[in-house]
Amino acid sequence: MNLFCLPICLALLIFPVTATAAEISGYAEGKGFLYPERTHGHSPSLEGWGTLFNKVEQRLGDAQLTGSLRGEWLSTDDQGGVLDPADRHIRRPPFSVQDLWLRLPLSPDVDLQLGRFQLGWGKTDGYSPADAFLPRDLTDPFADEKLPLWAVRLSGQRGSVRYEAVGSPITTPWRLPVLGSRTAPLNGEIPATVTLQERDSSPPVPGFGAIRVLATMDQWDVGGWVRAGIRPSPLLEFRVDQAMETADGLAIPVERRYVEEEGVGIELSRVVGSWVIRGEVAGLFSRDRELGNAVIGALSAEKGFGDGTLLITVAGNAIDPPVDEILLFDRAILPALITAWTRTEEWGEWKAVWSVGLKRGDGLVKAELSYNLTDLWKLAVGGEAPYGSGAGGFGALDAARRLRMAIRRSW
């Protein structure tokens, strides 16, 4: 990482500008989780999670430097080493660099961004095949948290055409919950007498490259993208040949394997009355026999209601995968229907999400309500209730039903 950060340091040294005052923001948050079901003996009914986040934004003339650091405490065993700058270890670190990037305007219409930053091409609370290659942290499987990338991004606009090119020189893999715990998505596939022993497999170093182009044509927004590189979602290798008998049953080592995957996609959107309709189709290609190819499509409809938004998404894969789709984490829920309704009120905000796996009928109901105690303090309560077949991506988490409460102080 030191070599990758070198261009940022050099830019700060040679960029001939006068820095203005930095903007500092952040929050401290404490969360508690209550799990009514206790089907896994080593998974407690009560869990705690504390977070301290600080962000600094500095203007350097026309350029911008942003950095943020997050510190966390978890009462479970889902944490790893003290600091993991590239998020390449299998456990969530107590300290994480969430932002460390510099944006430089190369011209009035072209920007260069380099460092560590978030990338997103899809719609929050929906499903987009354009976002499927991005790494996620499933330590909390209901949070759908994207991991930041070490990357270089060139973005610009010429007339009605907008473009973006991204190069990530190092792979950031998906982070999975402890296999065998209540939050692991494989519980429906693992007998109670079997224990999975995870091995910290090193992901390959090279990352991926992607290009996206968007344009406005009459009443339509059209776009396309291509991507090539390492697929960050791992394939799990269950080493049955190395299984051992223990006092608790059979222990099977599990390794992670990462393969190359290419993708190409197109997207269309337009306003129809008071709705925004979006459609996406992507072809994903791999020479790996366990991953195979995929043709994933998504259709969504979004409508604003004052200070609220309703988003309905249907997504599916036209090609059956060679293995059970629950083992392909970025495709485990397909085909699926996702309905999300969010709204901001004078006193706070609320959110309700209902997701359904259309193949096995399993689903997930999420609800959250947050109340503004003051301008700086916020109280949030909510819960998640997965249900249905344990062979589905949602139903596999049925033991993770929970209620949660959080209090946050921002600055």
Side-chain angles (χ1 to χ4, degrees), residues 91-108:
R91 292 291 160 258
R92 194 178 180 105
F95 295 96
S96 175
V97 178
Q98 294 294 291
D99 298 276
L100 185 58
W101 53 265
L102 180 69
R103 177 179 286 128
L104 296 168
L106 302 183
S107 74

Side-chain angles (χ1 to χ4, degrees), residues 279 310 399:
L310 174 65

Side-chain angles (χ1 to χ4, degrees), residues 237-354:
E237 296 284 344
F238 298 89
R239 300 303 302 270
V240 180
D241 58 317
Q242 300 178 17
M244 297 180 59
E245 288 286 350
T246 67
D248 298 325
L250 191 66
I252 301 178
V254 181
E255 298 177 351
R256 289 167 169 78
R257 185 165 62 86
Y258 299 87
V259 301
E260 292 187 3
E261 184 182 60
E262 293 76 44
V264 58
I266 58 173
E267 48 190 300
L268 297 169
S269 68
R270 67 169 296 171
V271 177
V272 180
S274 58
W275 293 83
V276 178
I277 308 299
R278 298 183 181 90
E280 297 180 71
V281 177
L284 304 175
F285 311 99
S286 171
R287 289 167 289 278
D288 188 86
R289 289 184 295 178
E290 291 188 15
L291 177 59
N293 299 329
V295 176
I296 297 177
L299 179 65
S300 68
E302 182 180 6
K303 180 179 176 63
F305 294 88
D307 292 330
T309 301
L310 174 65
L311 177 64
I312 303 172
T313 305
V314 179
N317 185 0
I319 301 178
D320 290 332
V323 297
D324 191 334
E325 57 266 17
I326 202 172
L327 297 175
L328 306 177
F329 300 100
D330 59 340
R331 305 172 193 172
I333 66 172
L334 299 179
L337 167 66
I338 304 171
T339 303
W341 196 350
T342 60
R343 186 174 177 87
T344 301
E345 309 284 0
E346 292 183 0
W347 44 264
E349 57 188 6
W350 56 266
K351 177 178 180 179
V353 180
W354 181 38

Side-chain angles (χ1 to χ4, degrees), residues 6-18 60-61 63 102 104 112 114:
L6 185 58
I8 299 178
C9 298
L10 291 175
L12 293 176
L13 291 174
I14 65 176
F15 206 77
V17 297
T18 300
L60 303 170
L102 180 69
L104 296 168
L112 176 66
L114 67 164

Side-chain angles (χ1 to χ4, degrees), residues 313 315 333-339 354-364 387 394:
T313 305
I333 66 172
L334 299 179
L337 167 66
I338 304 171
T339 303
W354 181 38
S355 304
V356 182
L358 301 178
K359 183 175 183 179
R360 294 185 171 90
D362 59 315
L364 170 66
Y387 65 88
F394 298 116

Side-chain angles (χ1 to χ4, degrees), residues 210-222:
I211 298 175
R212 188 190 196 194
V213 179
L214 300 171
T216 301
M217 303 175 60
D218 195 14
Q219 299 183 14
W220 291 89
D221 282 336
V222 300

Side-chain angles (χ1 to χ4, degrees), residues 19-41:
T20 60
E23 295 183 7
I24 301 176
S25 60
Y27 64 86
E29 183 180 61
K31 292 188 289 188
F33 303 94
L34 170 63
Y35 296 89
E37 298 187 33
R38 188 170 178 172
T39 58
H40 297 75

